[in-house]
């Protein structure tokens, strides 16, 4: 992630220093950037001069002291609170007081990271999406300690870097990693109930829903270990709210080492990094049962809409930013609140109530915001 973020800043004309404790990581980062930029030249997206400028803006350093004069440090190291805090302490000792320290953390609270600083008001979350140079979204997460000046500065920086900034409250999963949970969780639940197999569920979301990848293909792509861990963290952080409960099916795959594309086997089998279609001929055949596919799409979609509505209800972000985040961070075909308007708020409430009626599980509780909006005939 660090390499991608460095590329973005250098492309915007900033002078960048990439620091890593591992020499090999620095070398890989430098080589990767060279490859990426050569490909951009081939595609005629940049010229040789721009490539040289971008590369000329980046220095690779193995000594933290080289960051002494930085105005902004974006930390994207291992996801470990103590290790991150240790690095901030060292940075604070060498940098000026106004220097901003941002973290790309996916799962730690920004408040807990800021707490280790002498001047916690300089800390903020800047959450990029993978691959960072291609995905426009940056979630901007001020902690309770962050000063307004720092937040404003980062909002401007993100805009200068031609990225789409969305402000998010310092809550588990911020916007995207919270709102997207049902895409995986409800698909897994439908599979576990035996309603449909993996391929049918994927085809329903892809072909009827317009999502770029089905949930199981996406879980395999992200890695079942990584995706499971994110769900588990969000679940724990939300005090075990059943809406975020992880799935045994995915846990077993992770335990078995069936991590997905990277190990050659997950929900699907892979050959040279691609799904081995000879093992999954159903994929080619297309959707067998349109009615079943519609039911699957509706169930996953309404759970996603409910999650987005609840994030708005709890002021995690504005409606505009919740929709932007899902389209610009994870390529959803439409913002979920816009989708809710199209389906009708009454449809959403009735679908959630049907699910609750069937299961009597708190997981299927309808967001109070949707309920009020239905009553008052409102739209997002
Ligand atoms: N991978 C993603 O899709 C993604 C997306 C958004 C955010 N993030 C977040 O970005 C951060 C990094 O994730 P990643 O996937 O790029 O990890 P990674 O393991 O690929 O890279 C981490 C780098 O940090 C270096 N490092 C470790 N300890 C260090 C230290 N003390 N000082 C300096 N360098 C150190 C490692 O050598 C390694 O090169 C994490 O906080 C993660 O939550 C990851």
């Amino acid at each position: 992630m660090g390499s991608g973020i460095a590329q973005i800043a250098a492309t915007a004309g900033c002078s960048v220093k990439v620091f890593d404790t591992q020499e090999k990581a620095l070398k890989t980062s430098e080589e990767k950037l060279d490859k990426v930029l050569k490909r951009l030249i081939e595609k005629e997206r940049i010229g040789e001069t721009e490539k040289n400028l971008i590369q000329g803006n980046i220095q690779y350093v193995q000594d933290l002291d080289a960051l002494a004069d930085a105005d902004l440090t974006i930390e994207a190291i291992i996801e470990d609170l103590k290790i991150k805090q240790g690095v901030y302490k060292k940075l604070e000792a060498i940098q000026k007081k106004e220097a901003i320290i941002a973290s790309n953390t996916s799962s730690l609270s920004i408040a807990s990271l800021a707490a280790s600083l002498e001047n916690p008001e300089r800390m903020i979350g800047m959450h990029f999406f993978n691959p960072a140079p291609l995905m426009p979204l940056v979630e901007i997460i001020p902690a309770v300690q962050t000063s307004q000046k720092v937040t404003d500065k980062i909002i401007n920086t993100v805009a200068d870097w031609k990225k789409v900034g969305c402000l998010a409250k310092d809550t588990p999963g911020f916007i995207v990693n919270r709102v997207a949970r049902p895409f995986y969780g409800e698909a897994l639940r439908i599979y576990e109930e035996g309603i449909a197999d993996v391929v049918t569920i994927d085809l329903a979301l892809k072909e009827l829903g317009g999502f770029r990848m089905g949930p199981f293909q996406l879980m395999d792509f992200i890695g079942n270990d990584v995706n499971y861990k994110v769900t588990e963290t969000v679940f724990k952080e939300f005090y075990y709210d059943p809406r975020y409960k992880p799935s045994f099916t995915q846990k077993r795959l992770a335990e078995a080492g069936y991590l997905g594309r990277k190990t050659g086997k997950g929900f699907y089998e892979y050959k040279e990094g691609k799904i081995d279609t000879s093992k999954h001929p159903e994929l080619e055949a297309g959707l067998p049962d349109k009615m079943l596919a519609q039911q699957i799409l509706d169930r996953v979609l309404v759970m996603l809409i409910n999650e987005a509505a609840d994030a708005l209800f709890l002021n995690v972000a504005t409606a505009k930013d919740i929709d932007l985040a899902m389209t610009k961070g994870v390529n959803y075909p439409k913002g979920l609140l816009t989708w809710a308007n199209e389906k009708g708020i009454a449809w959403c409430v009735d679908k959630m109530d049907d699910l609750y009626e069937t299961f009597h599980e708190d997981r299927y509780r309808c967001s109070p915001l949707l309920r009020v909006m239905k009553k008052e005939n409102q739209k997002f």
Side-chain angles (χ1 to χ4, degrees):
M1 288 300 289
S3 304
I5 298 167
Q7 184 190 334
I8 296 165
T11 305
C14 294
S15 161
V16 182
K17 285 175 183 159
V18 177
F19 163 74
D20 201 297
T21 41
Q22 306 295 318
E23 201 182 336
K24 191 165 165 276
L26 290 174
K27 206 161 174 295
T28 311
S29 177
E30 197 169 356
E31 287 167 2
K32 214 178 92 187
L33 178 65
D34 194 60
K35 248 197 214 155
V36 167
L37 296 177
K38 276 186 178 143
R39 222 177 304 136
L40 288 180
I41 291 181
E42 276 165 30
K43 289 186 184 164
E44 296 182 9
R45 301 263 287 279
I46 59 169
E48 194 71 49
T49 321
E50 202 177 351
K51 175 176 180 281
N52 292 337
L53 273 175
I54 295 168
Q55 285 173 310
N57 281 343
I58 305 184
Q59 271 175 271
Y60 296 87
V61 300
Q62 235 198 310
D63 181 2
L64 198 69
D65 286 338
L67 307 188
D69 60 354
D71 296 312
L72 166 64
T73 306
I74 303 177
E75 167 275 308
I77 66 168
I78 184 171
E79 192 75 334
D80 181 303
L81 180 73
K82 288 274 165 293
I83 297 178
K84 284 186 194 287
Q85 288 181 335
V87 172
Y88 305 155
K89 269 210 159 53
K90 287 186 197 152
L91 282 174
E92 255 198 329
I94 56 167
Q95 290 182 340
K96 56 182 183 258
K97 210 170 142 227
E98 318 76 70
I100 298 173
I101 300 179
S103 177
N104 184 45
T105 182
S106 298
S107 65
L108 300 166
S109 83
I110 310 303
S112 68
L113 295 173
S116 64
L117 298 182
E118 294 265 337
N119 295 297
E121 64 278 3
R122 63 158 79 183
M123 175 93 215
I124 193 161
M126 276 178 95
H127 189 219
F128 291 79
F129 288 76
N130 202 4
L134 294 183
M135 301 310 296
L137 180 67
V138 183
E139 290 177 334
I140 301 168
I141 312 114
V144 281
Q145 301 100 317
T146 311
S147 74
Q148 189 59 45
K149 207 168 137 200
V150 166
T151 306
D152 292 343
K153 186 101 209 297
I154 294 305
I155 292 173
N156 287 334
T157 304
V158 168
D160 287 346
W161 290 0
K162 311 257 179 314
K163 289 284 176 185
V164 175
C166 287
L167 263 184
K169 223 192 216 176
D170 188 11
T171 46
F174 311 130
I175 305 173
V176 169
N177 281 340
R178 171 201 197 129
V179 173
R181 296 294 17 108
F183 189 68
Y184 316 105
E186 207 50 31
L188 281 157
R189 173 75 189 245
I190 290 168
Y191 170 72
E192 283 170 358
E193 282 177 28
I195 291 173
D197 59 21
V198 162
V199 174
T200 306
I201 300 170
D202 272 354
L203 287 174
L205 272 295
K206 227 172 111 172
E207 295 196 0
L208 283 187
F211 288 90
R212 204 165 279 192
M213 266 193 213
F216 295 98
Q217 282 183 15
L218 188 52
M219 285 185 270
D220 270 1
F221 183 77
I222 295 169
N224 285 303
D225 50 342
V226 174
N227 187 262
Y228 177 81
K229 187 85 196 154
V230 176
T231 308
E232 192 186 40
T233 307
V234 171
F235 179 54
K236 284 183 180 163
E237 290 282 317
F238 273 111
Y239 307 109
Y240 302 94
D241 184 331
R243 225 166 44 206
Y244 308 108
K245 197 155 96 182
S247 131
F248 285 122
T249 301
Q250 192 177 29
K251 186 161 197 250
R252 294 293 175 265
L253 289 195
E255 287 167 348
Y258 297 166
L259 307 183
R261 201 178 64 133
K262 62 188 172 190
T263 55
K265 190 175 163 78
F267 288 105
Y268 292 89
E269 291 191 39
Y270 293 79
K271 213 165 119 188
E272 288 156 12
K274 293 213 169 83
I275 290 179
D276 184 350
T277 42
S278 70
K279 299 267 170 50
H280 307 282
E282 326 86 87
L283 267 176
E284 313 275 275
L287 270 178
D289 182 342
K290 287 253 159 55
M291 220 157 80
L292 174 65
Q294 191 65 49
Q295 283 165 3
I296 293 166
L297 169 63
D298 287 351
R299 182 164 161 187
V300 175
L301 179 60
V302 81
M303 288 293 278
L304 283 167
I305 288 172
N306 194 51
E307 198 57 50
D310 223 44
L312 179 62
F313 177 60
L314 296 169
N315 285 307
V316 172
T318 62
K320 182 171 159 265
D321 279 359
I322 290 172
D323 270 9
L324 260 182
M326 303 315 287
T327 51
K328 302 294 181 188
V330 274
N331 279 325
Y332 277 23
K334 249 181 267 188
L336 291 165
L337 301 175
T338 304
W339 218 331
N341 287 341
E342 285 177 23
K343 296 295 274 185
I345 306 299
W347 179 88
C348 301
V349 173
D350 296 348
K351 267 257 152 330
M352 286 306 299
D353 284 348
D354 280 351
L355 285 166
Y356 188 81
E357 236 350 271
T358 307
F359 297 107
H360 279 266
E361 284 176 51
D362 206 29
R363 171 188 178 88
Y364 297 106
R365 68 187 187 274
C366 179
S367 170
L369 179 61
L370 285 173
R371 215 176 272 297
V372 170
M373 287 178 71
K374 177 187 171 188
K375 214 161 132 200
E376 297 182 356
N377 216 357
Q378 291 173 350
K379 279 188 159 204
F380 286 108

